Amino acid sequence: MRYISTRGEAPALGFEDVLLTGLATDGGLYVPESLPHFSVEEIRSWRGLPYAELAYKVMYPFVEDAIPADDFRKMLGETYSVFSHQAVAPLVQLDTNEWVMELFRGPTLAFKDFALQLLGRLLDYVLEKRKQHVVIMGATSGDTGSAAIEGCRRCEHVDIFILHPYQRVSEVQRRQMTTVQGDNIHNIAVKGNFDDCQRMVKESFGNQSFLSGKTQLAAVNSINWARIMAQIVYYFQASLALGGPDRSMAFSVPTGNFGDIFAGYLAKKMGLPISQLVIATNRNDILHRFMSGNKYEQHQLEHTLSPSMDIMVSSNFERLLFDLHGRDGAAVKDLLERAAKGPVSIEDYRWKHARKLFDSDAVDDKTTCDTIRDIYEKNEYLLDPHTAIGVRAARNCRRDSTVPMITLGTAHPAKFPDAIAESGLVVKPQLPAHMADLFEREERYTVLDNNVSEVQGFIAKHWKNA
């Protein structure tokens, strides 16, 4: 399988090179030249498979040119054996035909573990084969950083530099990153917001001269295709558990960078019956404004109780735009260049095509807290603020009550105690046993100005062989 850039100018690459490259040389994102497609009969035959084996069935076509089947199966078995629930992604029922899929049973209590536990093993495998060293540079709005560090900290051939917005992630999220010890782990708190951090990462990938040609950058953000690939699997898992593929499913996805919901879009294109995808956002609602009114316009970023979605530049949205424009890279490049200068829209027929599958909603902090309280009072089930936004958006946008609606539960509520307290509940979410001493562990991080040269200088000085 070959991978092409959403901007049409970079050369097509194989899986190994896409894994290590992240951002294409033309500034675009890599997507498969073509997708595998599974028949209803084939999907039905996967019922009852353990999660790791289902992951093999869904993902192997993407990597078969690079990794032998037995090696990939072993990698997947190791990846999902560290999750705290035998089902890996268990479903919890909230109401008639309404479910939450718990994606926070991994080691860092967030859905990012599904992809980043695998990504670390993929990097180790490929870098060992190539006898190559890379520098991982990533930006996080809260959860990606800890999942990337946990997934990659044992990799012998990487140094990890994670940027997070200073004082704009929850304390639990910060400590999960900054208390992991290792000479190859570096946390950078940038005096800015997530979009500033993400911009620095993209700029650094575009010009890596600060590394003097001694190593290269590798991506852990959802710009890396391997992240998206791994997230496709749990859509199949949820569907199979609730009667799919013989009945269609609807999903509500709390999303800021559009990666998690784009994986659902791909699952549908690969043959899984999905009738509706709900984009659930907070006050930083650029995706909702586009999907509801065909206007893509950046506003001032706001700090909310759901910080992992405090994002205004949704990188993976480019991958959907590429499909909506008939995979015309030049058209996507032109649109995004205009979007950087002001509001843009796409042709009405393209937008209406997207609306056949996608709906959207934006949920403010008050409604988020109301939803947390309401679900707990009726079900004694505690939602984190991001999942609460997903549940509220699902209820506001649901098209057909006979179709199962599944909200992706993206994080453990213990990561966001301030939101739980603000909802008026006296219950205090507890960290699981393996994290019980989190607030006693020593932290290590460096605060830097919102300046790309300063960040690049820090990386150039501190990677292993600098």
Side-chain angles (χ1 to χ4, degrees):
M1 181 176 288
R2 304 290 286 173
Y3 294 84
I4 58 175
S5 169
T6 52
R7 302 197 186 180
E9 296 174 0
L13 300 177
F15 178 78
E16 282 191 18
D17 290 318
V18 165
L19 176 73
L20 297 178
T21 302
L23 200 66
T25 53
D26 59 5
L29 305 182
Y30 279 107
V31 292
E33 208 163 34
S34 61
L35 286 171
H37 189 273
F38 307 115
S39 67
V40 167
E41 291 75 22
E42 187 172 8
I43 297 170
R44 189 187 297 123
S45 74
W46 297 342
R47 285 179 181 163
L49 288 180
Y51 191 91
E53 183 60 20
L54 176 64
Y56 172 81
K57 297 285 189 183
V58 173
M59 283 193 280
Y60 193 61
F62 295 114
V63 305
E64 61 184 341
D65 296 337
I67 305 174
D70 288 347
D71 290 351
F72 193 55
R73 267 200 170 98
K74 181 172 182 281
M75 209 179 294
L76 292 168
E78 292 171 350
T79 294
Y80 298 112
S81 68
V82 301
F83 281 59
S84 67
H85 196 291
Q86 285 292 94
V88 182
L91 288 160
V92 173
Q93 189 166 9
L94 296 184
D95 205 337
T96 305
N97 247 3
E98 184 181 15
W99 308 79
V100 168
M101 181 164 55
E102 294 187 339
L103 300 179
F104 49 77
R105 298 299 191 126
T108 73
L109 314 182
F111 79 96
K112 310 291 177 77
D113 286 323
F114 279 83
L116 286 164
Q117 286 294 311
L118 176 60
L119 181 63
R121 289 169 171 85
L122 287 167
L123 286 172
D124 232 11
Y125 183 91
V126 170
L127 292 171
E128 175 61 30
K129 185 166 77 170
R130 294 185 170 201
K131 302 301 179 187
Q132 184 180 347
H133 182 279
V134 297
V135 169
I136 288 175
M137 184 181 183
T140 184
S141 55
D143 292 325
T144 291
S146 57
I149 289 169
E150 182 62 32
C152 302
R153 65 190 175 97
R154 297 179 186 87
C155 297
E156 295 181 17
H157 303 283
V158 304
D159 286 285
I160 309 169
F161 294 83
I162 298 295
L163 284 58
H164 73 266
Y166 182 50
Q167 296 181 336
R168 291 196 176 192
V169 299
S170 78
E171 186 176 7
V172 172
Q173 286 177 312
R174 188 192 73 238
R175 285 179 174 273
Q176 281 186 291
M177 294 185 282
T178 60
T179 58
V180 180
Q181 302 301 310
D183 293 338
N184 66 332
I185 299 167
H186 305 273
N187 283 285
I188 301 172
V190 175
K191 294 179 181 177
N193 58 41
F194 170 76
D195 286 340
D196 295 321
C197 297
Q198 185 168 248
R199 174 182 49 78
M200 289 184 192
V201 171
K202 287 185 176 180
E203 190 173 328
S204 299
F205 271 85
N207 182 359
Q208 300 186 26
S209 59
F210 67 98
L211 295 172
S212 304
K214 297 176 182 176
T215 187
Q216 73 172 72
L217 294 180
V220 292
N221 281 62
S222 53
I223 60 173
N224 192 314
W225 164 254
R227 284 275 308 272
I228 303 295
M229 174 184 80
Q231 291 168 323
I232 297 170
V233 178
Y234 43 69
Y235 287 90
F236 282 85
Q237 167 84 347
S239 174
L240 288 164
L242 295 177
D246 297 312
R247 63 194 304 210
S248 190
M249 301 288 152
F251 292 88
S252 178
V253 187
T255 189
N257 225 358
F258 205 74
D260 210 11
I261 196 163
F262 184 71
Y265 166 79
L266 293 178
K268 178 178 174 62
K269 291 191 72 177
M270 291 165 67
L272 187 68
I274 296 175
S275 60
Q276 183 184 18
L277 289 171
V278 178
I279 300 167
T281 68
N282 60 20
R283 290 201 310 274
N284 299 298
D285 61 348
I286 187 170
L287 293 171
H288 170 57
R289 285 183 281 112
F290 172 83
M291 201 55 68
S292 60
N294 192 12
K295 189 176 184 182
Y296 190 81
E297 179 183 20
Q298 295 180 29
H299 290 175
Q300 185 69 32
L301 195 71
E302 295 188 48
H303 185 44
T304 73
L305 291 173
S306 45
S308 298
M309 298 194 297
D310 289 348
I311 297 170
M312 194 57 70
V313 181
S314 299
S315 292
N316 285 290
F317 191 54
E318 179 169 338
R319 286 178 159 125
L320 179 66
L321 290 172
F322 184 57
D323 272 13
L324 292 178
H325 286 81
R327 312 205 109 196
D328 182 344
V332 172
K333 182 180 179 182
D334 174 69
L335 179 71
L336 293 172
E337 286 175 351
R338 288 187 286 114
K341 300 171 185 174
V344 295
S345 299
I346 64 174
E347 291 90 343
D348 193 57
Y349 75 94
R350 300 188 196 277
W351 176 73
K352 286 179 178 176
H353 180 72
R355 285 304 312 271
K356 290 178 182 177
L357 177 63
F358 291 98
D359 285 293
S360 64
D361 197 15
V363 180
D364 61 22
D365 280 351
K366 180 183 181 304
T367 310
T368 300
C369 291
D370 290 346
T371 305
I372 292 171
R373 186 175 61 254
D374 178 62
I375 295 297
Y376 188 79
E377 288 175 348
K378 291 178 178 175
N379 298 74
E380 290 192 358
Y381 186 73
L382 198 56
L383 301 173
D384 91 286
H386 307 79
T387 308
I389 287 172
V391 168
R392 178 56 57 191
R395 293 179 172 184
N396 289 347
C397 298
R398 193 169 191 175
R399 297 177 183 177
D400 185 347
S401 62
T402 68
V403 174
M405 173 62 79
I406 304 149
T407 295
L408 302 197
T410 53
H412 194 290
K415 300 185 85 162
F416 305 97
D418 292 346
I420 306 302
E422 195 155 329
S423 71
L425 295 176
V426 295
V427 61
K428 186 175 181 181
Q430 298 298 311
L431 288 166
H434 75 277
M435 244 179 243
D437 65 343
L438 182 66
F439 289 88
E440 299 163 21
R441 301 175 190 172
E442 179 187 354
E443 286 193 87
R444 292 191 312 157
Y445 64 98
T446 303
V447 181
L448 296 179
D449 288 334
N450 187 5
N451 181 292
V452 68
S453 297
E454 189 173 339
V455 170
Q456 290 177 346
F458 181 88
I459 295 173
K461 182 179 178 181
H462 289 92
W463 73 277
K464 193 180 302 178
N465 297 321

